[in-house]
Amino acid sequence: MSGLLDRLLDGDHRALARAITKIENRMPGHRELVSSLYDHTGNAEVIGITGSPGAGKSTLVDKVAEHYRSQGLTVGVIAIDPSSPFTGGAVLGDRIRMASNVGDMDVFFRSMSARGSLGGVSIATADAVKALDAFGKDRIIVETVGAGQNEIDIVKTADTVTVLVQPGSGDDVQMLKAGILEIADVFVVNKADLDGADRTVQELNEMLQLRDDDGGRSSTGHHAGHHAESAEAVALQRTEAENGWMPPIVEAVATRGEGVEEYVDALDDHRAHLEATGELEAKARARYAEEIRTLLREDTAELLTEEIAAHGGIEELVAGVTAGETDPYEIADSVLAPIADCARQQRDS
């Protein structure tokens, strides 16, 4: 394990790939590996990108990675695929979609399964982000399946969350109303050359106005390749940011690379806001708290599985309920009792 860690820290991409495989599959030694990574993390900027299917997330990720490479930055991309309920693997496999970056080893792409995580981004994904961070990637992009409410968990992994919206989609508006609006730090209206783009920007602005307790306004969207935002709009955005971040709305045509530079500028602005307000540190603390809770849930579930097996297995327990000999509450108490007793003894010793 130490050899794998050393090679990863030395910049060996094959070691990085092997480490992520070990992490994703929760193979023996993965916990020790991740524990060893912590001392080497905290340098990368982590960007989350989500949105409805067909909004152009993969194309935007590709163009953003290309832009970062042109600045001399290295990039890691994790694309979360829906999990197969039967195998736990990624349905779509390792998608080769980074057309602009094929052959560029400084853009590391990995497709991972969401593994049935309710939030779409599992603990394994968060650990894979740590591997990319420790490796030395400057920017890490986590692209998630467009599964609506399930994307909330991306907040726990990313410093900045981008929600992609396509024009004229009632589904997108409904998705935003369902709660995705609350997690967005930056909005991108992609395919802005299509009819309805202006209307979509207007709807987003209206939603942000309703969300803002003070009735403030979002910065106006701007067409890629057209004039930049007015000085008044920029000043307004900065004023609003002093009292809390107001998500900007960037219009883009990702297939042509239009709007990518404006989008990256918005990401940089949000990063500066996080650092200036102390929110970056607060996000890190919240992330660690969530990791602790998640790991405790995972480990407790494993202990309970062992206890259930010691009681004859779940079918045996169900048979007792069916026969009227016991009930689920009594079973839960009896299965938990030895674990609870052990915990109390440790606490009291």
Side-chain angles (χ1 to χ4, degrees):
M1 189 59 62
S2 61
L4 180 63
L5 176 66
D6 290 341
R7 293 198 304 276
L8 183 154
L9 296 176
D10 284 342
D12 184 337
H13 279 91
R14 284 176 296 184
L16 174 61
R18 196 168 297 121
I20 293 178
T21 297
K22 186 178 285 287
I23 287 168
E24 182 179 15
N25 295 325
R26 313 315 266 170
M27 294 165 65
H30 79 274
R31 294 176 74 114
E32 293 80 5
L33 174 62
V34 177
S35 292
S36 300
L37 294 173
Y38 273 89
D39 287 342
H40 307 279
T41 60
N43 299 311
E45 293 184 20
V46 185
I47 301 152
I49 298 182
T50 188
S52 61
K57 294 185 295 295
S58 299
T59 304
L60 180 65
V61 169
D62 181 28
K63 298 301 183 184
V64 169
E66 185 181 18
H67 181 85
Y68 280 138
R69 288 298 297 125
S70 72
Q71 296 180 324
L73 299 171
T74 58
V75 183
V77 178
I78 298 175
I80 310 300
D81 279 337
S83 297
S84 161
F86 303 108
T87 65
V91 172
L92 302 179
D94 280 323
R95 298 170 294 178
I96 306 299
R97 306 157 309 160
M98 304 286 288
S100 302
N101 300 285
V102 170
D104 183 354
M105 287 304 290
D106 284 320
V107 177
F108 181 92
F109 177 88
R110 180 63 175 253
S111 180
M112 290 182 67
S113 161
R115 298 209 165 273
S117 167
L118 290 176
V121 181
S122 64
I123 188 72
T125 307
D127 289 344
V129 168
K130 292 183 189 66
L132 288 166
D133 189 356
F135 183 88
K137 294 299 183 186
D138 300 306
R139 300 289 186 274
I140 300 170
I141 302 171
V142 181
E143 175 205 333
T144 70
V145 287
Q149 193 72 28
N150 284 352
E151 303 316 304
I152 299 292
D153 258 14
I154 196 174
V155 173
K156 297 161 189 169
T157 302
D159 300 319
T160 300
V161 178
T162 302
V163 173
L164 227 66
V165 184
Q166 53 187 333
S169 172
D171 290 343
D172 278 6
V173 174
Q174 289 305 313
M175 174 187 77
L176 292 169
K177 288 179 178 175
I180 298 299
L181 179 72
E182 299 302 322
I183 73 170
D185 298 308
V186 177
F187 285 102
V188 175
V189 177
N190 194 25
K191 307 178 183 179
D193 53 342
L194 299 180
D195 290 340
D198 291 341
R199 175 60 189 161
T200 301
V201 170
Q202 183 181 342
E203 288 177 346
L204 285 173
N205 270 309
E206 289 169 358
M207 288 182 187
L208 290 170
Q209 286 177 37
L210 290 172
R211 187 186 75 166
D212 186 33
D213 292 335
D214 298 325
R217 291 179 296 147
S218 165
S219 61
T220 55
H222 51 278
H223 283 285
H226 289 210
H227 59 81
E229 290 182 75
S230 67
E232 292 82 0
V234 173
L236 172 64
Q237 186 177 341
R238 285 175 180 162
T239 301
E240 289 165 341
E242 289 173 3
N243 299 317
W245 177 256
M246 179 61 70
I249 303 169
V250 179
E251 296 184 43
V253 184
T255 52
R256 298 201 295 260
E258 296 176 7
V260 171
E261 189 170 343
E262 292 89 340
Y263 169 54
V264 171
D265 286 345
L267 295 177
D268 290 343
D269 287 346
H270 185 248
R271 178 74 178 195
H273 169 77
L274 292 177
E275 292 176 346
T277 59
E279 287 182 41
L280 190 64
E281 185 179 340
K283 275 178 173 271
R285 287 197 300 270
R287 195 152 50 233
Y288 290 144
E290 183 61 25
E291 284 181 25
I292 292 168
R293 283 191 288 263
T294 301
L295 287 170
L296 287 172
R297 282 194 296 267
E298 276 191 359
D299 292 352
T300 305
E302 288 180 13
L303 282 173
L304 290 174
T305 299
E306 292 176 12
E307 281 301 311
I308 288 170
H311 282 73
I314 193 71
E315 292 302 327
E316 184 79 15
L317 297 175
V318 169
V321 177
T322 305
E325 300 166 358
T326 184
D327 63 73
Y329 285 92
E330 284 188 3
I331 289 172
D333 287 343
S334 64
V335 170
L336 278 171
I339 298 175
D341 289 344
C342 183
R344 289 191 194 98
Q345 288 173 13
Q346 288 288 327
R347 193 167 59 240
D348 295 338
S349 61

PDB file of all heavy atoms in Angstrom, residues 133-151:
ATOM      1  N   ASP A 133      -6.676  15.144  -5.561  1.00  0.00           N
ATOM      2  CA  ASP A 133      -6.114  16.291  -4.856  1.00  0.00           C
ATOM      3  C   ASP A 133      -4.686  15.979  -4.403  1.00  0.00           C
ATOM      4  O   ASP A 133      -3.746  16.755  -4.647  1.00  0.00           O
ATOM      5  CB  ASP A 133      -7.013  16.630  -3.667  1.00  0.00           C
ATOM      6  CG  ASP A 133      -6.650  17.948  -2.992  1.00  0.00           C
ATOM      7  OD1 ASP A 133      -5.647  18.570  -3.394  1.00  0.00           O
ATOM      8  OD2 ASP A 133      -7.364  18.346  -2.051  1.00  0.00           O
ATOM      9  N   ALA A 134      -4.498  14.829  -3.762  1.00  0.00           N
ATOM     10  CA  ALA A 134      -3.174  14.434  -3.281  1.00  0.00           C
ATOM     11  C   ALA A 134      -2.199  14.245  -4.433  1.00  0.00           C
ATOM     12  O   ALA A 134      -1.001  14.534  -4.302  1.00  0.00           O
ATOM     13  CB  ALA A 134      -3.275  13.151  -2.458  1.00  0.00           C
ATOM     14  N   PHE A 135      -2.710  13.776  -5.558  1.00  0.00           N
ATOM     15  CA  PHE A 135      -1.877  13.574  -6.749  1.00  0.00           C
ATOM     16  C   PHE A 135      -1.292  14.899  -7.234  1.00  0.00           C
ATOM     17  O   PHE A 135      -0.204  14.942  -7.797  1.00  0.00           O
ATOM     18  CB  PHE A 135      -2.719  12.929  -7.851  1.00  0.00           C
ATOM     19  CG  PHE A 135      -1.955  12.608  -9.111  1.00  0.00           C
ATOM     20  CD1 PHE A 135      -1.298  11.397  -9.266  1.00  0.00           C
ATOM     21  CD2 PHE A 135      -1.895  13.527 -10.151  1.00  0.00           C
ATOM     22  CE1 PHE A 135      -0.595  11.099 -10.424  1.00  0.00           C
ATOM     23  CE2 PHE A 135      -1.190  13.253 -11.311  1.00  0.00           C
ATOM     24  CZ  PHE A 135      -0.541  12.029 -11.448  1.00  0.00           C
ATOM     25  N   GLY A 136      -2.067  15.977  -7.002  1.00  0.00           N
ATOM     26  CA  GLY A 136      -1.583  17.297  -7.399  1.00  0.00           C
ATOM     27  C   GLY A 136      -2.386  17.976  -8.484  1.00  0.00           C
ATOM     28  O   GLY A 136      -1.955  18.998  -9.033  1.00  0.00           O
ATOM     29  N   LYS A 137      -3.577  17.425  -8.803  1.00  0.00           N
ATOM     30  CA  LYS A 137      -4.410  18.080  -9.799  1.00  0.00           C
ATOM     31  C   LYS A 137      -4.840  19.454  -9.279  1.00  0.00           C
ATOM     32  O   LYS A 137      -5.260  19.594  -8.133  1.00  0.00           O
ATOM     33  CB  LYS A 137      -5.651  17.231 -10.111  1.00  0.00           C
ATOM     34  CG  LYS A 137      -5.329  15.895 -10.795  1.00  0.00           C
ATOM     35  CD  LYS A 137      -4.637  16.090 -12.128  1.00  0.00           C
ATOM     36  CE  LYS A 137      -4.385  14.766 -12.835  1.00  0.00           C
ATOM     37  NZ  LYS A 137      -3.588  14.935 -14.066  1.00  0.00           N
ATOM     38  N   ASP A 138      -4.737  20.468 -10.144  1.00  0.00           N
ATOM     39  CA  ASP A 138      -5.090  21.826  -9.735  1.00  0.00           C
ATOM     40  C   ASP A 138      -6.591  22.045  -9.662  1.00  0.00           C
ATOM     41  O   ASP A 138      -7.091  22.756  -8.790  1.00  0.00           O
ATOM     42  CB  ASP A 138      -4.488  22.839 -10.720  1.00  0.00           C
ATOM     43  CG  ASP A 138      -2.967  22.743 -10.792  1.00  0.00           C
ATOM     44  OD1 ASP A 138      -2.328  22.831  -9.723  1.00  0.00           O
ATOM     45  OD2 ASP A 138      -2.427  22.562 -11.903  1.00  0.00           O
ATOM     46  N   ARG A 139      -7.309  21.461 -10.603  1.00  0.00           N
ATOM     47  CA  ARG A 139      -8.768  21.595 -10.659  1.00  0.00           C
ATOM     48  C   ARG A 139      -9.371  20.195 -10.751  1.00  0.00           C
ATOM     49  O   ARG A 139      -8.922  19.364 -11.541  1.00  0.00           O
ATOM     50  CB  ARG A 139      -9.222  22.419 -11.869  1.00  0.00           C
ATOM     51  CG  ARG A 139      -8.675  23.838 -11.906  1.00  0.00           C
ATOM     52  CD  ARG A 139      -9.302  24.723 -10.838  1.00  0.00           C
ATOM     53  NE  ARG A 139      -8.863  26.111 -10.970  1.00  0.00           N
ATOM     54  CZ  ARG A 139      -7.756  26.596 -10.427  1.00  0.00           C
ATOM     55  NH1 ARG A 139      -6.955  25.798  -9.722  1.00  0.00           N
ATOM     56  NH2 ARG A 139      -7.432  27.859 -10.574  1.00  0.00           N
ATOM     57  N   ILE A 140     -10.394  19.949  -9.942  1.00  0.00           N
ATOM     58  CA  ILE A 140     -11.105  18.668  -9.981  1.00  0.00           C
ATOM     59  C   ILE A 140     -12.566  18.960 -10.280  1.00  0.00           C
ATOM     60  O   ILE A 140     -13.207  19.769  -9.594  1.00  0.00           O
ATOM     61  CB  ILE A 140     -10.975  17.908  -8.647  1.00  0.00           C
ATOM     62  CG1 ILE A 140      -9.502  17.622  -8.336  1.00  0.00           C
ATOM     63  CG2 ILE A 140     -11.767  16.593  -8.700  1.00  0.00           C
ATOM     64  CD1 ILE A 140      -9.254  17.102  -6.934  1.00  0.00           C
ATOM     65  N   ILE A 141     -13.079  18.336 -11.329  1.00  0.00           N
ATOM     66  CA  ILE A 141     -14.467  18.535 -11.735  1.00  0.00           C
ATOM     67  C   ILE A 141     -15.246  17.248 -11.485  1.00  0.00           C
ATOM     68  O   ILE A 141     -14.840  16.176 -11.940  1.00  0.00           O
ATOM     69  CB  ILE A 141     -14.559  18.923 -13.228  1.00  0.00           C
ATOM     70  CG1 ILE A 141     -13.741  20.196 -13.502  1.00  0.00           C
ATOM     71  CG2 ILE A 141     -16.020  19.122 -13.640  1.00  0.00           C
ATOM     72  CD1 ILE A 141     -13.608  20.533 -14.986  1.00  0.00           C
ATOM     73  N   VAL A 142     -16.343  17.360 -10.754  1.00  0.00           N
ATOM     74  CA  VAL A 142     -17.230  16.221 -10.526  1.00  0.00           C
ATOM     75  C   VAL A 142     -18.509  16.473 -11.309  1.00  0.00           C
ATOM     76  O   VAL A 142     -19.251  17.416 -11.025  1.00  0.00           O
ATOM     77  CB  VAL A 142     -17.549  16.031  -9.028  1.00  0.00           C
ATOM     78  CG1 VAL A 142     -18.460  14.831  -8.826  1.00  0.00           C
ATOM     79  CG2 VAL A 142     -16.267  15.867  -8.227  1.00  0.00           C
ATOM     80  N   GLU A 143     -18.734  15.644 -12.316  1.00  0.00           N
ATOM     81  CA  GLU A 143     -19.932  15.777 -13.155  1.00  0.00           C
ATOM     82  C   GLU A 143     -20.912  14.690 -12.753  1.00  0.00           C
ATOM     83  O   GLU A 143     -20.571  13.510 -12.716  1.00  0.00           O
ATOM     84  CB  GLU A 143     -19.558  15.622 -14.633  1.00  0.00           C
ATOM     85  CG  GLU A 143     -20.752  15.627 -15.563  1.00  0.00           C
ATOM     86  CD  GLU A 143     -20.481  14.891 -16.864  1.00  0.00           C
ATOM     87  OE1 GLU A 143     -19.308  14.821 -17.285  1.00  0.00           O
ATOM     88  OE2 GLU A 143     -21.447  14.375 -17.450  1.00  0.00           O
ATOM     89  N   THR A 144     -22.129  15.082 -12.390  1.00  0.00           N
ATOM     90  CA  THR A 144     -23.087  14.097 -11.883  1.00  0.00           C
ATOM     91  C   THR A 144     -24.216  13.827 -12.861  1.00  0.00           C
ATOM     92  O   THR A 144     -24.517  14.638 -13.730  1.00  0.00           O
ATOM     93  CB  THR A 144     -23.712  14.566 -10.559  1.00  0.00           C
ATOM     94  OG1 THR A 144     -24.583  15.662 -10.828  1.00  0.00           O
ATOM     95  CG2 THR A 144     -22.657  14.995  -9.573  1.00  0.00           C
ATOM     96  N   VAL A 145     -24.840  12.668 -12.669  1.00  0.00           N
ATOM     97  CA  VAL A 145     -26.025  12.324 -13.459  1.00  0.00           C
ATOM     98  C   VAL A 145     -27.097  13.357 -13.165  1.00  0.00           C
ATOM     99  O   VAL A 145     -27.225  13.840 -12.049  1.00  0.00           O
ATOM    100  CB  VAL A 145     -26.550  10.922 -13.104  1.00  0.00           C
ATOM    101  CG1 VAL A 145     -25.652   9.856 -13.661  1.00  0.00           C
ATOM    102  CG2 VAL A 145     -26.695  10.746 -11.606  1.00  0.00           C
ATOM    103  N   GLY A 146     -27.861  13.715 -14.178  1.00  0.00           N
ATOM    104  CA  GLY A 146     -28.910  14.706 -13.980  1.00  0.00           C
ATOM    105  C   GLY A 146     -30.145  14.065 -13.399  1.00  0.00           C
ATOM    106  O   GLY A 146     -31.076  13.741 -14.102  1.00  0.00           O
ATOM    107  N   ALA A 147     -30.128  13.854 -12.110  1.00  0.00           N
ATOM    108  CA  ALA A 147     -31.226  13.132 -11.475  1.00  0.00           C
ATOM    109  C   ALA A 147     -31.996  14.006 -10.496  1.00  0.00           C
ATOM    110  O   ALA A 147     -32.513  13.543  -9.492  1.00  0.00           O
ATOM    111  CB  ALA A 147     -30.690  11.901 -10.761  1.00  0.00           C
ATOM    112  N   GLY A 148     -32.056  15.300 -10.794  1.00  0.00           N
ATOM    113  CA  GLY A 148     -32.873  16.190  -9.987  1.00  0.00           C
ATOM    114  C   GLY A 148     -32.434  16.271  -8.540  1.00  0.00           C
ATOM    115  O   GLY A 148     -31.288  16.575  -8.237  1.00  0.00           O
ATOM    116  N   GLN A 149     -33.352  15.979  -7.650  1.00  0.00           N
ATOM    117  CA  GLN A 149     -33.120  16.145  -6.214  1.00  0.00           C
ATOM    118  C   GLN A 149     -31.912  15.358  -5.718  1.00  0.00           C
ATOM    119  O   GLN A 149     -31.280  15.722  -4.730  1.00  0.00           O
ATOM    120  CB  GLN A 149     -34.368  15.695  -5.448  1.00  0.00           C
ATOM    121  CG  GLN A 149     -34.387  16.101  -3.986  1.00  0.00           C
ATOM    122  CD  GLN A 149     -34.611  17.595  -3.795  1.00  0.00           C
ATOM    123  OE1 GLN A 149     -35.232  18.243  -4.622  1.00  0.00           O
ATOM    124  NE2 GLN A 149     -34.077  18.139  -2.712  1.00  0.00           N
ATOM    125  N   ASN A 150     -31.572  14.286  -6.416  1.00  0.00           N
ATOM    126  CA  ASN A 150     -30.460  13.444  -5.977  1.00  0.00           C
ATOM    127  C   ASN A 150     -29.110  14.146  -6.020  1.00  0.00           C
ATOM    128  O   ASN A 150     -28.126  13.626  -5.493  1.00  0.00           O
ATOM    129  CB  ASN A 150     -30.373  12.177  -6.841  1.00  0.00           C
ATOM    130  CG  ASN A 150     -31.430  11.167  -6.470  1.00  0.00           C
ATOM    131  OD1 ASN A 150     -32.139  11.342  -5.479  1.00  0.00           O
ATOM    132  ND2 ASN A 150     -31.559  10.120  -7.247  1.00  0.00           N
ATOM    133  N   GLU A 151     -29.052  15.322  -6.630  1.00  0.00           N
ATOM    134  CA  GLU A 151     -27.758  15.983  -6.784  1.00  0.00           C
ATOM    135  C   GLU A 151     -27.346  16.807  -5.564  1.00  0.00           C
ATOM    136  O   GLU A 151     -26.249  17.356  -5.525  1.00  0.00           O
ATOM    137  CB  GLU A 151     -27.779  16.890  -8.017  1.00  0.00           C
ATOM    138  CG  GLU A 151     -28.126  16.160  -9.295  1.00  0.00           C
ATOM    139  CD  GLU A 151     -27.403  14.836  -9.412  1.00  0.00           C
ATOM    140  OE1 GLU A 151     -26.183  14.815  -9.349  1.00  0.00           O
ATOM    141  OE2 GLU A 151     -28.079  13.803  -9.526  1.00  0.00           O
TER     142      GLU A 151
END
